[in-house]
Amino acid sequence: QVQLEESGGGLVQLGGSLRLACVVSTSIFSIYNSGWYRQAPGKQRELVAHISSGGSTNYADSVKGRFTISRDNAKNTMYLQMNSLKPEDTAVYYCKLQLPGYDSWGQGTQVTVSS
């Protein structure tokens, strides 16, 4: 079973930056679509950024121009660079890999932005 592990979360001030990483336990993860999601307290989990197997990216309107999704195939790792962070970005961030027939999720990493 494919496993994903996020890291890089933490506490940051308004306007600060963080880079999240998601290590995937398969060397062929780049052939699948993947993405970053987040869930704030009392809210549904929402898509933040998506990267296709071909490398195309798309973002939630709320993070466009501030967040960048990328991946390093040699390291089996996906990243989310987050700049100009706002308190409303506070959430648990999850990475997801779309595998044939099911989705595999990481355990999540907490991001807290203080004002």
Side-chain angles (χ1 to χ4, degrees):
Q1 186 172 358
V2 176
Q3 295 183 329
L4 290 75
E5 183 171 1
E6 303 96 338
S7 63
L11 175 64
V12 64
Q13 290 188 330
L14 173 67
S17 297
L18 284 174
R19 188 175 80 155
L20 306 183
C22 173
V23 178
V24 184
S25 67
T26 173
S27 61
I28 57 171
F29 91 104
S30 61
I31 71 172
Y32 303 113
N33 297 334
S34 55
W36 287 94
Y37 291 72
R38 68 186 180 187
Q39 187 166 19
K43 296 187 177 182
Q44 290 189 331
R45 192 171 297 188
E46 63 176 359
L47 174 67
V48 175
H50 178 269
I51 184 165
S52 73
S53 57
S56 299
T57 59
N58 60 74
Y59 299 88
D61 288 343
S62 59
V63 307
K64 280 182 182 176
R66 300 188 298 122
F67 290 12
T68 303
I69 188 172
S70 63
R71 64 182 179 220
D72 184 332
N73 297 337
K75 296 182 178 180
N76 299 340
T77 303
M78 180 171 61
Y79 300 98
L80 184 68
Q81 177 67 45
M82 306 186 294
N83 299 327
S84 302
L85 283 161
K86 305 174 182 179
E88 50 263 43
D89 296 316
T90 295
V92 178
Y93 284 71
Y94 301 88
C95 56
K96 185 186 85 170
L97 188 64
Q98 292 176 248
L99 296 161
Y102 74 102
D103 294 333
S104 185
W105 293 86
Q107 83 289 348
T109 185
Q110 176 71 46
V111 171
T112 303
V113 184
S114 66
S115 55

